Amino acid sequence: MKILIKFILLMFLALSVNANNIINEILNEFNIADTKKNRAILEDIYKKIDNLDVKYFKDTISKKTENVFIIKNELNEIEAPKFLLYLAMTESRFLNKATSHMKAGGMWQFMPKTARAFGLEVNKYIDERRDPYLSTDIAFKYLKFLNSKFDKWYISLMAYNCGDARMQKLMKRYKSDDFYTLLSSSKTPIETRNFIKRIIKLTMISKNEEVKEFLTNLEPKFGLEKIKVSGGTKLSNIAKSIGLSTNELKEYNMHVTKGFVPNSKDSYHFYIPANKLNLYALSYVSDLIKGERTLEKEYNIHKVANGETLDEIAKKWGVDVNLIVKKNNLKIDESLDGKELKIPLNKVIEATKNKEYKVKSKDTLSKISKKLDKDIKENLALNDLKNKKLIAGDAIVIP
């Protein structure tokens, strides 16, 4: 009996030490002052975590691994706090299609006005709040702006929810930015109080050893690749060319709200699964050869948002800063706000090196594939051949 009691006491002590370590980490990471009242709030959050919370955490992340990895990669690149991942989880469960009753949209739940102010396009045809890459870039830009103003992450996150002006009024009213004071006040919106508590709760769950292992072993089902398309291009046509249903491709392109790029645009971008990129490139070349597609313009147009830097613009479009400078004949220290810049396009098709083969008498695809050591299915896909009959003199593309 004494051994059992001793074992229980040791287990209780171990759990207490673990809880205390996690709370210390939360205090440090969120810039919360280490006071008795602040600890009491965090201890209450920690004690209420149960198995259903852990299950929800794992299930939510497992369902949207692509978006999770987009955020994690960005966090690593800019060396931002890892808990910002759980901001998106709290806001939308990583869903690009998420829309609130207040019309906030996308994974990061931007209001249209805020999105436009930070350079995202939001209109009848395009809603870049639902673009996982562009919206994530802007979300971190906005959070950087908030944290430069408040210098404490828990306040910055609360301001993300209720607005920076309202947070400033609350702090002025109470002459304090204390965590306990803000969370215990009825003047702080209950949605904002629950919002910061939810992010802290998810961050605590992520520090559980079992969950850490889950996150370490997590892999996206597939990556996404950006492709450039011309104005008027339909998602359904791209889907057909790479063997996907239109609905499936729409899942990766929620920012294209009508299913096509408006004709008013010279070019725009879609996302396709990385494992379909070669097939898309092959189809692109095939259409060029058959005269069904023309080469797109060599640049896109980007309207510069207030305060947006060349580095941010280059990162958004995936091009070198020097190329933008050269294309637009920019001068050092030149003001860019409101200007329209030409952005050189990365040509997806340049990654493929295809050869042309002239069909000879009695040639078949099977013979050609065997002669050139190429998969017959690749030749069929590339040349859009619905049967294996060939005519001498035809030119076909060999991947």
Side-chain angles (χ1 to χ4, degrees), residues 312-330:
E312 290 166 342
I313 296 168
K315 185 176 179 181
K316 176 177 180 178
W317 289 101
V319 300
D320 188 89
V321 172
N322 293 325
L323 291 177
I324 299 176
V325 172
K326 185 177 180 181
K327 190 73 177 175
N328 295 275
N329 297 315
L330 298 177

Side-chain angles (χ1 to χ4, degrees), residues 277-278 280-282 284-285 288 295-298 323 344-354:
L277 183 60
N278 285 342
Y280 169 75
L282 295 176
Y284 188 105
V285 172
L288 281 174
L295 287 170
E296 297 166 10
K297 288 187 67 173
E298 295 181 351
L323 291 177
L345 297 181
N346 287 326
K347 298 294 183 181
V348 173
I349 206 60
E350 289 174 1
T352 64
K353 295 180 180 179
N354 302 293

Side-chain angles (χ1 to χ4, degrees), residues 61 68 71-72 75 81-89 94:
I61 286 181
V68 169
I71 298 171
K72 286 181 73 173
L75 288 173
K82 293 180 180 179
F83 59 72
L84 294 182
L85 175 68
Y86 309 116
L87 166 57
M89 189 171 178
F94 306 116

Side-chain angles (χ1 to χ4, degrees), residues 213-225:
E213 185 177 353
F214 161 77
L215 291 172
T216 300
N217 296 328
L218 189 71
E219 290 290 343
K221 296 181 180 70
F222 49 80
L224 293 176
E225 290 285 350

Side-chain angles (χ1 to χ4, degrees), residues 130-141:
R130 305 180 192 283
D131 182 315
Y133 289 96
L134 297 184
S135 65
T136 296
D137 283 344
I138 296 302
F140 291 153
K141 182 178 179 181

Side-chain angles (χ1 to χ4, degrees), residues 121 123 125-126 230-232 260-267 300-301:
E121 187 174 349
N123 56 46
Y125 301 99
I126 303 294
S230 56
F260 63 90
V261 179
N263 288 316
S264 58
K265 281 187 170 293
D266 290 325
S267 63
N300 208 336
I301 298 295

